[in-house]
Amino acid sequence: MDCWKAMFAVSMFWCFCCRSPTIRDMVVRCVAQMVHSQAANIKSGWKNIFSVFHLAASDHDEGIVELAFQTTATIFEQYFAATIDSFQDAVKCLSEFACNAAFPDTSMEAIRLIRHCAKHVADAPQMFKDYGAEENVSETDRVWVKGWFPVLFELSCVINRCKLDVRTRGLTVMFEVMKTYGNSFQQHWWRDLFRVVFRIFDNMKLPEQQQEAKAYRIIDYEYCVDTLMMCCRRQNG
């Protein structure tokens, strides 16, 4: 059953590449129905489910985006534990919803769910320690690699890709996560995190003629510096 569902999701993935909105809508409805009726049997097929919804997240059809997002939200609310091996794909899917400029309300809701993902990591770190035991990563670092890093990295992607209001919300949530849960971070995790934060301010990505955008980037920079200094002071006691 698990293998069949994975194959089915791959087929849906290819169908979704069709230009016809009717077919794309049908694909999303089929996958949504599968989630609602057979979630307990999907198992390793969740990765392919999130691949389909990742494609749907960037669609321009409101009905397609709304159904895909609502189904994704249901997965997080009801089946989170079953999807732990696809957590990175799930958070990436939410990031894509957040970056769809055509639907700002969905963008904000997606960021809220990413914030909720951080709470899942904080509340159930053992789930991430147990996952990926066969990999050459220490048990403690699995929480960072499989849990915290995907959340913070995808928030940084939202900040780099989205327009001002969504980017600002993404920035706020990113630093809320750092301030709320940073006390549990290992020292070497912070080195990885600083690399993620600093790439937000890569001036090479900002055209010189966009003076207004540059002004907003300065505001973002000042906010980040203040928050990072606060985090550092808390870390140093």
Side-chain angles (χ1 to χ4, degrees):
M1 187 69 166
D2 182 37
C3 179
W4 178 86
K5 291 191 180 299
M7 293 174 63
F8 177 79
V10 170
S11 299
M12 293 296 98
F13 178 89
W14 286 111
C15 288
F16 202 92
C17 294
C18 177
R19 293 183 179 181
S20 169
T22 302
I23 294 179
R24 296 200 307 275
D25 180 79
M26 180 193 70
V27 169
V28 171
R29 290 185 184 280
C30 287
V31 176
Q33 176 60 28
M34 184 173 68
V35 169
H36 290 300
S37 63
Q38 298 292 335
N41 298 319
I42 294 176
K43 299 178 182 177
S44 62
W46 287 111
K47 182 180 181 68
N48 294 312
I49 298 293
F50 289 124
S51 294
V52 174
F53 289 153
H54 182 271
L55 281 175
S58 58
D59 205 279
H60 297 294
D61 185 293
E62 183 176 6
I64 291 173
V65 174
E66 179 67 16
L67 178 58
F69 180 73
Q70 291 301 327
T71 307
T72 301
T74 298
I75 293 170
F76 276 98
E77 292 167 2
Q78 299 183 17
Y79 311 115
F80 177 80
T83 66
I84 194 67
D85 61 338
S86 302
F87 182 76
Q88 293 155 292
D89 302 282
V91 179
K92 185 177 181 179
C93 180
L94 290 176
S95 175
E96 195 65 22
F97 279 112
C99 291
N100 190 332
F103 307 106
D105 290 343
T106 300
S107 297
M108 294 300 184
E109 277 297 298
I111 294 173
R112 182 188 66 81
L113 282 180
I114 295 176
R115 174 71 172 82
H116 197 60
C117 287
K119 187 175 186 302
H120 275 302
V121 179
D123 291 345
Q126 192 60 45
M127 293 176 61
F128 295 89
K129 291 179 181 179
D130 294 340
Y131 165 59
E134 72 284 354
E135 299 178 12
N136 189 26
V137 179
S138 70
E139 184 177 277
T140 301
D141 284 345
R142 283 180 213 139
V143 181
W144 173 250
V145 174
K146 304 294 185 181
W148 290 118
F149 188 80
V151 169
L152 293 163
F153 179 80
E154 292 303 332
L155 283 171
S156 77
C157 291
V158 171
I159 296 164
N160 278 327
R161 292 177 55 192
C162 296
K163 60 183 182 179
L164 178 63
D165 54 344
V166 177
R167 186 178 79 231
T168 301
R169 182 55 186 159
L171 187 69
T172 301
V173 169
M174 183 178 188
F175 282 100
E176 282 179 357
V177 171
M178 292 168 62
K179 289 188 288 185
T180 303
Y181 304 111
N183 287 338
S184 66
F185 292 0
Q186 301 291 316
Q187 185 174 3
H188 59 286
W189 297 359
W190 282 99
R191 288 196 294 269
D192 291 341
L193 179 53
F194 286 148
R195 294 189 186 100
V196 171
V197 173
F198 293 151
R199 67 187 285 274
I200 295 173
F201 308 107
D202 182 358
N203 291 328
M204 296 299 291
K205 298 178 181 176
L206 190 64
E208 289 296 321
Q209 65 269 27
Q210 296 183 7
Q211 294 300 323
E212 183 179 8
K214 290 174 68 177
Y216 286 128
R217 187 58 61 97
I218 290 172
I219 294 173
D220 288 351
Y221 178 82
E222 292 174 347
Y223 173 73
C224 285
V225 169
D226 290 343
T227 308
L228 284 172
M229 290 179 64
M230 183 186 301
C231 290
C232 289
R233 286 195 293 268
R234 291 177 62 182
Q235 284 296 108
N236 293 329

